[in-house]
Every structure is written in structure tokens, then in C-alpha cells.
Amino acid sequence: MAGQQLQVLDALDVAKTQWYHFTAIVIAGMGFFTDAYDLFCISLVTKLLGRLYYHVDGAAKPGTLPPNVSAAVNGVALCGTLAGQLFFGWLGDKLGRKKVYGLTLLLMVICSIASGLSFGHTAKSVMATLCFFRFWLGFGIGGDYPLSATIMSEYANKKTRGAFIAAVFAMQGFGILAAGVFSIIVATAFKARFDAPAYEVDPIGSTVPQADYLWRIIVMVGAIPAALTYYWRMKMPETARYTALVAKNAKQAASDMSKVLQVDIEAEQSKVEKLTESGAGGFGLFTKEFLQRHGLPLLGTTSTWFLLDIAFYSQNLFQKDIFSAIGWIPAAKTMNAVEEVFRIARAQTLIALCSTVPGYWFTVAFIDRMGRFAIQLMGFAFMTIFMFALAIPYNHWTHKENRIGFVVIYSLTFFFANFGPNATTFVVPAEIFPARLRSTCHGISAAAGKLGAIVGAFGFLYLAQNQDKTKVDAGYPPGIGVRNSLILLGVVNFLGLLFTFLVPESKGKSLEEMSGENEEVAEEESAPRS
């Protein structure tokens, strides 16, 4: 079996960690940096959009986005991402990783800038333009998931592959931080230049006209890091695994990797031709053979990512209540528009700094020691425990003196999401499927995750509403309440723990060993010829 492995792939598997590994992490990771920046920054400016475009004369509170508009602005990018994951995942296997890779980045750059240029005479037209471009921004972001994960897994060595793929994903943490820090800086500058009274003092004067530039600047800056890495993405050679195993060009693969690894590699074209003749690796996605070999692992990767994202994206619901509860964000009417952006950005940045970012890097540090399975199982287990710890004595947490405890447990839940399934669900699908279907299967798994995100972000927005009709947020029907929502999320995390048992461990194994591509060849060769 080992004899079937091409020298070029062996060389990649055993290569020492080199400079090109780090450049690949940065080039692939910048897409995720931009992704996190773009998806995160919109949550910082939605309150401002409400004040600017939905102001009601004489109202006691500042204007807010109506529920349907708020859902569209926040959710349309998620829908675009889901579509992009499926489309570019499939395209990455059809045309090659590299050809499609620059396209996703271009889409992100153009749509980030266009989002900030959303103009119109009415609130509706501005929001419609913004939603249009955010959908296509999401589409580009979606393509980055399967392509970045696949490229990194195909470039990495056996020993540290998990850490490299996780490091690409962990760039999201820096994207979130960058969105928060940049928003704080811009809001501080605007506050110093255009001072305004609080809403309760002067409802109209509290939102300075220049605030319309504030959200546009925050949204558009997301294009800069993506644009900076475009040149380097175009310079990256196609991965050897795609060139040799899918495009069947061993000579090209050997010459590309000789340059990258700076060693001489034999081309072994005859070996590739032999594999082609033997008919190895021919089965497609919708075949009985695929179902037998990879059906359960694919169910494992899709279901765990789906369940994780329901819990992960529902956090946005509780964040605003938590911030208000611990006094980080005062009542909206006591602030002017720019001050509110500053306070929200500061609160979100602190949460990111304390629980989100450290979790990602814990995964990077431990994934190749503990293994993917152990980290995912542990993460889901702790998330289940902490969700129930928040839900069962929920009334206890609502008292003012217990709020800090609530925030600590809440932060731990998301620390273990990131040092747990949020990172591993991204890593594993890039390792366990055959090269010719790797990008497609990763795209399918990621799209299942985004479906979970849509359920988490919107399903729970309605579910978490108070059961009492008089206490619901404006425009919403009564729901099942926050306590019951938290219990439901605990159950979702427990299901994630159970489905983890379908996912195979890939620590320390070569990609061909995991996907069974070497076995396919061995079986074909040992099969009697008619």
C-alpha cells in the first residue's frame, strides 16, 4: 500500500515545518479574517442603522430596525455563505483549488466596498441595496471555507496538519478583534469631532448626519486585508494532491512542490498512469460505493457542524441582554448614536478577547496532541453542561448580584465551543474524503453548518421571546422564553456529542490513508482481470 504513495505526496507528508507553511496559513487565513470581520461588523452597526433610517418623531426610545429588516440585514450574508459553500466546494474539485481561489477573494473585496456604498432616497432602498451586496459578499465568503481548508490540508505535513488547518480558521478570532478595535477607533474619532447630546435630551440632534459615514467606513474597511492577499493567492501553485491525483499530472505536481519544498522530487508519471488504467478512484459522490465508504463520516461531519452552529449563532441573542445586564451598555436613550456604536464595540471586543480568541488558539496548540475526536467530544460535553447550568437555575441568574456568574459561565460555553467543535468541525472534513471530492464534501459539511446558523440566529430570535404577550419585543409573537430556549440549546449540544461518534480520528495519518485512496488502488490492482 505504501508503495502506491507518490513520492511527491510522501515528501509533503514528512516535510519539516517550513516558511511556506506559514505563508500558506496567512494567505488562506486572510479570507477568514475578512469573513469574520464582515459578518461581525454588521452587528456593531445595526443599532446605528435603526437610529439613522427608522427614527420615529416623538418616540421615547431611538429608532430600531423592524424585525424583518433586522433579520434580513443580519441573515442575508448567512444565506449567501451557504450557497457559496456548495457552489465553490463543487467548483474547487472540478477546476482545481487555485483557479477558483482568487475569484472568492475578488467577490469579497468588491462586495465589501459595494455594501458601504448602499445609497437610496428611502430607508427601504438603502437596506435593499445593502442586503443585495451582503448576499454576494456571503457567497464569496462561503467559497473560502472549502477552498482554504482543502488547500491547507493538502499542503500540510502529517504531524502538524491539524494545527495548520485550525490556525487558518483561528484567523477568524483576529477578524472579530479587528472589527471591534477599528470600530472603537473610528467611533472615538467621530465622537471627538461631532459631539452630540443624548437621545433623551435632543432626539434629532443625538444622531449627527455624519454618522451615516461611520457605518459605511466600518463596513468597507473589510475589503483591505482581502485585497492585500490577492496577489499572493494568485502566485500559489496548485496543490500537488489535486495536480497528481485529480488532474493526473505527476510531472507538474513534482515540479511545483520541488520549488516549494526546495528538494528534488521524482515525477513518477508512470505510477499515475497506472492508477488511471487500473480505474482506481473513479466513483463519484452519488454512488453506492461512496455511500458505503464515506456515507457515515459525511453524516457525522454535516450533523455535528449543523448542531454546533445552532448553539454557536444563538449566542447573539443573549449578548445584548448580557451586556445591558452587567451595565456595559446603558439604556439607548441615555446615549447619542456614535456613543452607542462605541459602547457596543467595546463590549463585543472584550468578550472576543476573553473567550473567543483564546479558545481558537487552544485548539491550534492541542489538536495534534489530543486528536480531533477528543477535543470535539470534550467541547460538546462542556457546552452541554454549561448550557444546563445557565438554564435550570435561570431565575437565580437574573438577580443583579448573580450576573457576573452568569457572564463567566456564558463565556466558558463559548471558550469550549472554540476549543472544541467550532474548530474541529472545520478541520476534519478537509482530511477524511478523497482528493477528487474533498472540496465538495467540505462544502456540504460547511453548508449544513450555515443552515444550523440560520436556525440558531433566527429560530431562536422568535423562540426566546417572552411567553407573556405584553413583554415581547416590538413586532414579535410570544415565544417559549429564554430559560426554555437555553434548555433546548443544551439538548442540541448533547445531540452534537452523540453524532461526534460517527466522525473518524485523523490525527497523524496521511490524507490518502484517511480517505482510503491507497486501498482503492490496492483493491483494483489485486482484482482479477477478465
Side-chain angles (χ1 to χ4, degrees), residues 126-259:
V126 175
M127 293 301 130
T129 332
L130 179 63
C131 287
F132 175 80
F133 286 116
R134 282 191 68 75
F135 175 86
W136 291 107
L137 171 68
F139 195 70
I141 286 170
D144 231 55
Y145 274 72
L147 294 168
S148 289
T150 304
I151 285 172
M152 202 61 235
S153 79
E154 294 184 342
Y155 262 110
N157 56 34
K158 265 196 301 204
K159 209 165 125 201
T160 53
R161 186 178 61 232
F164 287 159
I165 306 173
V168 168
F169 194 60
M171 294 290 276
Q172 278 193 330
F174 289 135
I176 290 171
L177 272 183
V181 170
F182 183 71
S183 302
I184 289 170
I185 294 166
V186 183
T188 308
F190 270 71
K191 216 163 57 166
R193 183 76 180 78
F194 310 107
D195 202 20
Y199 182 86
E200 56 190 356
V201 178
D202 179 358
I204 293 179
S206 68
T207 307
V208 291
Q210 290 84 353
D212 195 38
Y213 295 115
L214 176 62
W215 72 268
R216 296 173 189 279
I217 292 168
I218 292 171
V219 167
M220 285 163 82
V221 161
I224 295 172
L228 291 176
T229 46
Y230 181 75
Y231 171 75
W232 300 108
R233 272 201 185 185
M234 293 291 83
K235 293 266 288 185
M236 261 179 124
E238 180 59 84
T239 72
R241 286 185 159 89
Y242 184 86
T243 311
L245 299 172
V246 186
K248 311 282 189 223
N249 187 345
K251 202 171 170 190
Q252 186 64 47
S255 99
D256 285 346
M257 291 309 114
S258 296
K259 283 178 207 153

Side-chain angles (χ1 to χ4, degrees), residues 271-283:
K271 208 180 242 189
V272 170
E273 280 160 11
K274 212 162 149 192
L275 303 191
T276 316
E277 280 162 26
S278 69
F283 64 83

